[in-house]
Amino acid sequence: MRVIIAGGGIAGLATALSLHAAGVESITVTEAADEIRPLGVGINLLPHAVRELTELGLAEELAAIAVPTRELAYFNHLGQLIWSEPRGLAMGYQWPQYSVHRGRLQLLLLRAVTERLGPDAIRTGHRLTGFTTAVGSPSAAVTAHYGSTGTGGTTTAITGDLLIGADGIRSTVRARLYPAEPAPLWNGLVLWRGTTRARPFRGDRSMIMAGDDAQKFVAYPITAPDADGKVEINWIAERPVRRVAGDRGDWTRPVPVAEFLPHFEDWRFDWLDVAGTIRRATAAYEYPMVDRDPLPRWTHGRVTLVGDAAHPMYPIGSNGASQAILDARVLSDALARTGEPGPACEAYEAERRPATSAITLANRQMGPELVLKRAHERAPEGFTDIERVLPLAEREEIAARYKRLAGFDPVLLNQRRSYDATLST
């Protein structure tokens, strides 16, 4: 069986590793960039994604580059605690939750693909321009067409039994399947992301979110403390802007911190200097808060979608990369169990599309971060007793409901079967 994966990001590389583990021998990953470089800032991997990477044999390598998150805590804009809960192993999962630099994770996956599949499995400088299917032929093959991103301007084609679009929110595969779909949808909020070397807060393994539904600050460490006791803090500053957001879907556009720092200048808590953290950043990147409406179908014959190409969602609930890794594992499991690309893609979609559609819509309503909105609505000037503002039972239900929806309820995840089927020979 020959599989073509368009996209060499986390979704594409995780899919390649999953298919290889399932026994697929011919896998080609194509990437538009001439070189896969460690771009981006921090992301989170929830326990359900860490389980899949562990079952792919990457537990030790992942632990070496990531920070096991111990706590998630929510605060209002004054730094008052609204809600906190343990995470990862401390929550009873059999797998940790990790905070990690996106680029370091991508390079880890890239090394694993190169070692396991061979260096020829990844073809950079291949910009997908479209695809064709051999309708009515015995093989029902699919051919991906590429234009070179190099100076020669050459074109090429690769034929396989299955084409997987893992090419992100601005997916060429998705655009060919849905040519009338509009640009990514923007909700008026902009995220500014960066990293800062500083002393940790609330210990060295806490993830915090402060603010409300309009203005928010998120921070968590993505390295262990160094000899001076400092960590690399990944942070996200978020608020509305009164202008049209450009580059929707591009999270690497650099901006000066002076552009947004004034909005957070007075955010100084007893346990974290927000303004100082932003000011000391080595670089900052702007990203409009965008997603796309859920699709009615991902699979069209021997073509299907994974990751942001299938279900781009707001970066709420720490779920983007985790859901892409789950896609990879469910698809490879279905392919191993059915042995046929078409039926496998249909089975994969039947499991994953309803689940990710529900998460996409829930994230538009703030997902687990709803506690920030409700606390602000009920106590905009702060509180002396959070229980009177937002009872514990309500906070617990918001958190538990999202875990069930997103597939990382501790009990259900610990008991779920493994996606480890392999093709019969």
Side-chain angles (χ1 to χ4, degrees):
M1 187 181 302
R2 303 161 300 168
V3 178
I4 308 163
I5 301 171
I10 291 173
L13 296 172
T15 302
L17 290 171
S18 297
L19 291 172
H20 178 263
V24 178
E25 295 182 353
S26 177
I27 304 167
T28 302
V29 179
T30 61
E31 167 57 42
D34 292 326
E35 178 186 4
I36 297 178
R37 295 182 292 122
L39 301 175
V41 286
I43 61 172
N44 278 271
L45 293 175
L46 297 177
H48 52 358
V50 176
R51 172 180 179 174
E52 304 311 325
L53 295 177
T54 298
E55 294 185 358
L56 287 172
L58 297 172
E60 291 186 6
E61 293 91 333
L62 183 58
I65 65 168
V67 173
T69 307
R70 181 178 55 204
E71 174 199 47
L72 172 61
Y74 297 91
F75 301 82
N76 65 7
H77 69 287
L78 301 173
Q80 295 177 306
L81 179 64
I82 298 170
W83 161 252
S84 68
E85 65 175 13
R87 281 293 172 120
L89 300 177
M91 187 70 170
Y93 294 99
Q94 295 177 14
W95 305 269
Q97 174 174 327
Y98 282 123
S99 297
V100 62
H101 190 286
R102 181 194 180 279
R104 295 172 197 144
L105 173 62
Q106 187 176 9
L107 289 186
L108 184 158
L109 298 176
L110 177 63
R111 288 193 298 269
V113 170
T114 302
E115 292 169 0
R116 299 179 188 185
L117 281 69
D120 295 336
I122 300 176
R123 303 187 189 182
T124 57
H126 278 58
R127 177 177 54 83
L128 185 71
T129 58
F131 56 87
T132 54
T133 54
V135 179
S137 72
S139 63
V142 58
T143 300
H145 301 277
Y146 297 90
S148 172
T149 59
T151 57
T154 59
T155 61
T156 188
I158 303 174
T159 297
D161 301 296
L162 173 62
L163 171 63
I164 301 171
D167 45 348
I169 190 171
R170 295 183 291 186
S171 166
T172 297
V173 178
R174 179 173 175 139
R176 295 301 181 273
L177 296 174
Y178 294 93
E181 186 177 33
L185 306 174
W186 179 45
N187 70 353
L189 296 173
V190 166
L191 312 179
W192 294 276
R193 306 180 182 210
T195 60
T196 301
R197 202 81 190 173
R199 296 200 174 278
F201 48 86
R202 294 179 64 87
D204 55 12
R205 291 191 286 146
S206 290
M207 177 179 183
I208 67 96
M209 299 186 183
D212 52 45
D213 55 327
Q215 185 162 327
K216 184 175 64 179
F217 186 79
V218 179
Y220 51 87
I222 54 175
T223 63
D226 61 17
D228 296 324
K230 293 184 177 180
V231 299
E232 187 176 6
I233 296 175
N234 181 83
W235 54 262
I236 303 164
E238 172 189 321
R239 74 181 310 274
V241 296
R242 295 182 178 179
R243 56 177 168 80
V244 176
D247 301 320
R248 301 185 188 183
D250 179 5
W251 39 263
T252 61
R253 191 173 83 84
V255 294
V257 296
E259 187 170 315
F260 58 93
L261 178 59
H263 301 293
F264 295 87
E265 194 65 64
D266 61 347
W267 284 42
R268 290 182 174 85
F269 310 147
D270 292 342
W271 46 274
L272 177 65
D273 180 0
V274 172
T277 301
I278 295 174
R279 189 179 293 109
R280 295 192 302 272
T282 54
Y285 303 91
E286 181 178 281
Y287 179 83
M289 181 87 88
V290 296
D291 69 359
R292 289 188 186 273
D293 287 332
L295 291 175
R297 287 176 61 195
W298 295 348
T299 299
H300 298 251
R302 296 196 175 201
V303 178
T304 196
L305 304 169
V306 298
D308 281 350
H311 47 74
M313 57 185 65
Y314 293 161
I316 288 175
S318 308
N319 244 308
S322 294
Q323 293 299 324
I325 292 167
L326 283 171
D327 289 347
R329 291 284 284 164
V330 173
L331 176 55
S332 63
D333 184 76
L335 191 59
R337 290 177 182 275
T338 64
E340 292 292 335
C345 290
E346 296 289 350
Y348 150 72
E349 180 176 333
E351 179 171 345
R352 294 296 298 149
R353 187 171 58 81
T356 55
S357 295
I359 298 170
T360 298
L361 298 178
N363 283 3
R364 291 180 178 180
Q365 303 301 318
M366 296 193 67
E369 297 169 26
L370 183 61
V371 294
L372 297 177
K373 179 181 180 181
R374 290 188 178 176
H376 178 72
E377 289 174 340
R378 299 174 190 179
E381 303 303 322
F383 50 80
T384 56
D385 184 359
I386 186 59
E387 186 66 20
R388 293 186 176 184
V389 175
L390 197 61
L392 178 61
E394 185 177 358
R395 286 173 277 162
E396 289 178 333
E397 174 53 27
I398 290 171
R401 182 169 63 243
Y402 191 78
K403 290 184 181 71
R404 292 191 297 268
L405 179 73
F408 65 106
D409 174 89
V411 175
L412 296 179
L413 176 60
N414 289 345
Q415 295 177 349
R416 173 177 61 72
R417 75 169 182 87
S418 174
Y419 298 121
D420 61 353
T422 55
L423 284 163
S424 59
T425 57

